[in-house]
Amino acid sequence: EAGVTQFPSHSVIEKGQTVTLRCDPISGHDNLYWYRRVMGKEIKFLLHFVKESKQDESGMPNNRFLAERTGGTYSTLKVQPAELEDSGVYFCASSPSADRYEQYFGPGTRLTVT
Amino acid sequence: AQSVTQLGSHVSVSEGALVLLRCNYSSSVPPYLFWYVQYPNQGLQLLLKYTSAATLVKGINGFEAEFKKSETSFHLTKPSAHMSDAAEYFCAVSYTGTASKLTFGTGTRLQVTL
């Protein structure tokens, strides 16, 4: 069984540019989460999809961040325009409906905004 | 609001020695508690979880943790450290109920020396 995959693994962009991160959850997992770790700090929740619907987006920092989940499969997280403080590692996780607490994490995308 | 405190951002033990990583939580409702491990260049892997069953939880790779409600703690232990245990460890808490987002501690980097 393939795990959670994320693309790209690294991204370096300039302030003001746009970046789109992609997450492919484990097949059949209805729940998809985005988290972020800023350097030296804790991993913080961004948002939670159940299938294609946003269940909880209380962690989204501001309206420069836009998350979508097309057809309840893969998800994208777009940052537009990027700011320096957006740098960090963005993790995606997925879990099945039967046990939404058993979250499987991807390797993360390291975003550097210069 | 729920929160997690991990005492010690870095812990160093000798190979064969006891591993003890500390985690204290704050939650206004019965918590679900988790330990995750992140090896270099990999995603987070679930070590073990407490979801209101047995208070002593056994996980993978010889790790276990004990839920102590009176102390609001969920410390992670392993009787004998191995070089391959060197990694970063994260304690996390979640609510019971409909929300399943994780709230993480700041992480503890475990170093194992010969």
Side-chain angles (χ1 to χ4, degrees), chain B residues 11 13-17 19 21 36-43 45 47 60-63 76 78 80-89 108-114:
Chain B
V11 170
V13 300
S14 300
E15 190 173 36
V19 175
L21 304 183
Y36 281 85
V37 60
Q38 185 181 24
Y39 298 104
N41 301 315
Q42 295 186 29
Q45 181 181 4
L47 271 178
I60 61 171
N61 302 337
F63 285 93
L76 182 71
K78 182 174 180 178
S80 176
H82 191 272
M83 296 295 288
S84 60
D85 296 326
E88 190 162 20
Y89 292 78
T108 298
R109 189 168 296 279
L110 176 66
Q111 180 183 22
V112 182
T113 59
L114 288 172

Side-chain angles (χ1 to χ4, degrees), chain B residues 9-94:
Chain B
S9 58
H10 289 82
V11 170
S12 181
V13 300
S14 300
E15 190 173 36
L18 171 72
V19 175
L20 171 61
L21 304 183
R22 298 178 185 276
C23 172
N24 288 86
Y25 68 91
S26 169
S27 177
S28 56
V29 297
Y32 285 177
L33 293 157
F34 307 83
W35 275 99
Y36 281 85
V37 60
Q38 185 181 24
Y39 298 104
N41 301 315
Q42 295 186 29
L44 280 74
Q45 181 181 4
L46 181 65
L47 271 178
L48 49 80
K49 65 179 180 182
Y50 166 78
T51 54
S52 74
T55 56
L56 181 62
V57 181
K58 294 188 183 298
I60 61 171
N61 302 337
F63 285 93
E64 63 181 37
E66 186 172 9
F67 171 66
K68 291 187 176 181
K69 184 178 179 180
S70 61
E71 298 178 8
T72 60
S73 69
F74 191 57
H75 301 330
L76 182 71
T77 60
K78 182 174 180 178
S80 176
H82 191 272
M83 296 295 288
S84 60
D85 296 326
E88 190 162 20
Y89 292 78
F90 297 91
C91 182
V93 64
S94 184

Side-chain angles (χ1 to χ4, degrees), chain A residues 17-35:
Chain A
Q17 289 186 321
T18 297
V19 63
T20 300
L21 313 181
R22 174 169 170 145
C23 168
D24 286 80
I26 293 172
S27 178
H29 282 192
D30 289 339
N31 296 285
L32 187 148
Y33 308 80
W34 284 98
Y35 294 86

Side-chain angles (χ1 to χ4, degrees), chain A residues 12-99:
Chain A
V12 180
I13 61 171
E14 293 183 352
K15 176 182 173 180
Q17 289 186 321
T18 297
V19 63
T20 300
L21 313 181
R22 174 169 170 145
C23 168
D24 286 80
I26 293 172
S27 178
H29 282 192
D30 289 339
N31 296 285
L32 187 148
Y33 308 80
W34 284 98
Y35 294 86
R36 176 175 73 172
R37 190 183 194 193
V38 172
M39 179 81 71
K41 298 200 172 181
E42 69 270 30
I43 300 168
K44 283 195 171 180
F45 167 82
L46 296 178
L47 89 159
H48 171 205
F49 284 99
V50 178
K51 297 185 180 179
E52 67 275 8
S53 300
K54 292 176 185 175
Q55 173 80 14
D56 180 356
E57 51 185 330
S58 61
M60 294 288 265
N62 50 60
N63 59 11
R64 296 185 293 103
F65 288 74
L66 175 63
E68 295 179 323
R69 189 177 183 192
T70 306
T73 56
Y74 71 92
S75 175
T76 57
L77 180 64
K78 180 189 287 187
V79 185
Q80 180 182 27
E83 298 288 345
L84 298 179
E85 63 265 25
D86 301 332
S87 295
V89 180
Y90 290 76
F91 292 101
C92 176
S94 70
S95 65
S97 298
D99 188 357

